[in-house]
Amino acid sequence: MSSAATKLSGIGVSPGVAIGPVRKIVNVVSTAAIPASPRQIFEALTKVGEDLDRAAATIELDVAKEVLSAQSMIAQDPALVEAIGARLDQDIKYPDVREDIVAAFAGFKEALLAIGGYFAERAADLDEICNRLLAKLSGTESEGLVLTSPTVIVAEDLTPADTASLNLKYALALVVEKGGPTSHTAIVARSMEIPAVVGVRHASEMIRHGDWLILDGEQGVVVVAPDEQLLA
């Protein structure tokens, strides 16, 4: 390995070797206050459920369809609406609802974990649903992931919808900071037969947009900026 190359390690969750340029996916989180009334929150939550339903209907991959359908059901669960309403119980426009929404989702997540079994498995989906709701309320929803050339995707995290919507013609591999062998990214990547390494700490900091990578999805190794000898 040349002195310029950097070797990163993670968890290999979908086998295969890929070589290609990087496309970094950066999730922009708004830090601005989100003013809203309970009525607006519940309407936005309904729309989040409908968005997930539409995504599930258009995705052919069964494992991703199941995840999105489950998320849609959770978003439309009356108990979640009740949890939010318990914290925001006045028919007024609150100056900033972020803290109360996050707390309501956290409480609902704890309840699912306490039930155990299937419900505990779905608890992790609440983080994505919460992020979708906040994005819907703040008007900062992303347009989705569109690839136009062969690319290795590098991200802090990828939602099931992000992963399943990838164009297999152009998605060479996935490198993700978060996740483990049973994460949505890992499951969907294996189903799509895309090499993937997750749990790569500081990947977004160490890898730049346009860098070339060599990725081994079985060994969990990522080589950044390999020299010509390694590329040969």
Side-chain angles (χ1 to χ4, degrees), residues 146-169:
V146 178
L147 304 179
T148 56
S149 60
T151 303
V152 177
I153 305 298
V154 176
E156 181 182 357
D157 201 6
L158 289 172
T159 69
D162 286 335
T163 311
S165 65
L166 294 174
N167 186 330
L168 288 175
K169 179 179 178 182

Side-chain angles (χ1 to χ4, degrees), residues 1-9 206-208 211-214 221-231:
M1 188 182 299
S2 74
S3 59
T6 301
K7 181 179 177 180
L8 303 177
S9 297
M206 302 292 293
I207 302 173
R208 298 172 299 178
D211 277 345
W212 276 72
L213 301 184
I214 298 177
V221 174
V222 179
V223 179
V224 187
D227 59 22
E228 293 183 4
Q229 182 177 357
L230 284 173
L231 289 172

Side-chain angles (χ1 to χ4, degrees), residues 64-78:
K65 188 185 293 288
E66 291 170 8
V67 170
L68 293 168
S69 294
Q71 289 183 348
S72 174
M73 290 178 62
I74 294 171
Q76 300 175 70
D77 190 325

Side-chain angles (χ1 to χ4, degrees), residues 85-194:
R87 300 188 68 90
L88 301 164
D89 58 357
Q90 298 182 55
D91 190 18
I92 61 172
K93 189 164 189 173
Y94 291 84
D96 189 1
V97 297
R98 291 175 300 167
E99 183 176 340
D100 285 300
I101 287 176
V102 170
F105 270 85
F108 193 65
K109 184 175 182 178
E110 288 181 8
L112 292 183
L113 289 171
I115 295 171
Y118 173 81
F119 293 98
E121 292 174 2
R122 296 270 66 87
D125 294 328
L126 282 164
D127 295 333
E128 182 179 344
I129 297 168
C130 183
N131 291 338
R132 284 178 176 267
L133 175 58
L134 293 174
K136 180 79 71 176
L137 288 167
S138 62
T140 57
E141 295 173 279
S142 64
E143 294 297 321
L145 187 56
V146 178
L147 304 179
T148 56
S149 60
T151 303
V152 177
I153 305 298
V154 176
E156 181 182 357
D157 201 6
L158 289 172
T159 69
D162 286 335
T163 311
S165 65
L166 294 174
N167 186 330
L168 288 175
K169 179 179 178 182
Y170 296 131
L172 299 176
L174 306 177
V175 177
V176 181
E177 285 190 24
K178 295 182 177 180
T182 60
S183 65
H184 293 327
T185 298
I187 294 168
V188 174
R190 285 194 293 269
S191 298
M192 300 178 75
E193 299 182 345
I194 300 175

Side-chain angles (χ1 to χ4, degrees), residues 15-84:
V17 175
I19 302 172
V22 167
R23 164 77 181 275
K24 284 184 70 173
I25 306 301
V26 180
N27 295 321
V28 179
V29 178
S30 175
T31 57
I34 302 176
S37 67
R39 186 185 303 273
Q40 289 172 315
I41 295 170
F42 300 147
E43 288 175 351
L45 190 57
T46 297
K47 291 178 180 176
V48 167
E50 292 170 348
D51 290 346
L52 290 164
D53 266 338
R54 279 192 293 272
T58 57
I59 287 176
E60 295 182 4
L61 194 65
D62 287 342
V63 64
K65 188 185 293 288
E66 291 170 8
V67 170
L68 293 168
S69 294
Q71 289 183 348
S72 174
M73 290 178 62
I74 294 171
Q76 300 175 70
D77 190 325
L80 179 57
V81 172
E82 184 178 336
I84 296 171

